[in-house]
Amino acid sequence: MPVTPAFEASLFEKRREQVLRRMREFSPAGAVAVFPAAPVAMRNNDVEHPYRADSDLFFLSGFEEPEAVAVLSTQGEKAFTLFVRPRDKEREIWTGRRAGVEGAVKNFGADQAFEISKLEDELPRLLASAPALLYRVGGADAEFDARIARMLRNLRTRARAGMDAPRRIEDPGQIVHEMRLRKEPRELDAIRKAVELTRRGHLAAMKAGRPGAYEYELQSLLEREFRGGGGRGWGYYPIVASGENATVLHYSDNSMQVREGDLVLIDAGAEVDLYTADVTRTFPANGRFSAPQRACYELVLSAADQCIERTRPGETIDGLHERAVRVLTEGMVKLGLLKGEVDALIKDNAYRKYYMHRTSHWLGLDVHDVGSYRTAEGKPRPLEAGMLFTIEPGLYIAEDDEGAPAEMRGIGIRIEDDILVTERGHEVLTRAIPRTIKDVEAACVTS
Ligand code: GLY
Ligand code: MN
Ligand code: MN
């Protein structure tokens, strides 16, 4: 676990200042915001999943150890309090170095730090000082919700002794997630590096993805690039789906042998400094798309390109999805997958038989990143420069779909790119990962 932040400490300090400013506007009489670390997840018996910090806590502090809580307060001198695991020579021999209380102040910029065991004494004191609490109830740690609830109850019972509990409790996401939505240069550096490792991984898989190869071999090539290139690994578990496995949206067995004539769909992205890429490519195992595969691929590519082309400030994710649905539905009729009027097929959701997911999501520290998709009035949110999101249309024709032309059954295709909204339009960060038929076929050739 790093005992210094991945980025320069001043970056996190600036973010905290911005949050504190917004907290003052939000509750001029005072506010306290609480951000707990993600709990350690057990994999089986006494084996833990590799630890991955909570994205909000990381965004505001750079702190990546478990059993930590960050508190921001607009009351008094100490704006930033960190509760952390204490230094412990014996434990550190087993589980690695810790920043400790001293490191929390020295390296992570805390105005004060306490051992996590002091939380029940110190956090209520901080809570009692403010009329508003910003805490995301229903986050990753239900036990922490219960602890906060207990602290509030105890504070209320001590009203006669002059203690008070915050009367307003709201989601700090309305401040922090809005900030996470617009990427800063240092974040974009990390994302560009994640995209580059992702490019290397997808290219290696395209080269090696011949009939006879196993899906897990391709997964291992992806992981080799993601980790070997200096990333943390993957930002979400990779999907390596050959043949009809590609029509299972969340396929994750990655265990089958690739057959002659199969397409291989790979949805995998590297994580760098906790920022993830999210890229899907679909390629022919034998290096050449068959005619029906080509027709389906061209349709998905056209939907993707039309969405990308429209991306600029003011456009909406809903608008792009509608565009993708229209292009795909028109194509489904041409391909003989659907029959009828395009408008009616869209209105009746008939297209969902072959395209059942949304076209886009925000991207950043989380693969499905935070941030509202609606304005305060409930309207689709206009895109702004600095926002990062995916465009990922697909076409999935079940193997046993007797309504589909026989030669198309079992075809699953998705093309997914990461798009940065710029002042003038957009930048496709993942452009260099082969996506046209010509480039994909060229990338599959092994010399
Ligand atoms: N890899 C997850 C997604 O594409 O949304
Ligand atoms: Mn995605
Ligand atoms: Mn994806």
Side-chain angles (χ1 to χ4, degrees), residues 336-338 353-354 396-410:
L337 291 165
L338 294 179
K353 187 173 178 197
Y354 301 111
Y396 312 93
I397 306 164
E399 188 191 18
D400 59 358
D401 178 0
E402 296 191 352
E407 69 277 17
M408 288 182 191
R409 293 178 201 161

Side-chain angles (χ1 to χ4, degrees), residues 195 278-279 281 416-419 428-433 435:
V195 165
D278 183 10
V279 175
R281 291 293 184 259
E416 175 172 29
D417 286 284
D418 302 344
I419 320 292
V428 184
L429 301 185
T430 46
R431 179 69 81 191
I433 308 176
R435 58 194 292 287

Side-chain angles (χ1 to χ4, degrees), residues 236-237 239 250 267-268 278-280 361 367-368 390 392 414 416:
Y236 57 92
Y237 196 78
I239 295 170
H250 291 166
D267 184 348
D278 183 10
V279 175
T280 308
H361 56 78
V367 64
H368 295 159
T390 65
E392 49 179 304
R414 180 164 61 256
E416 175 172 29

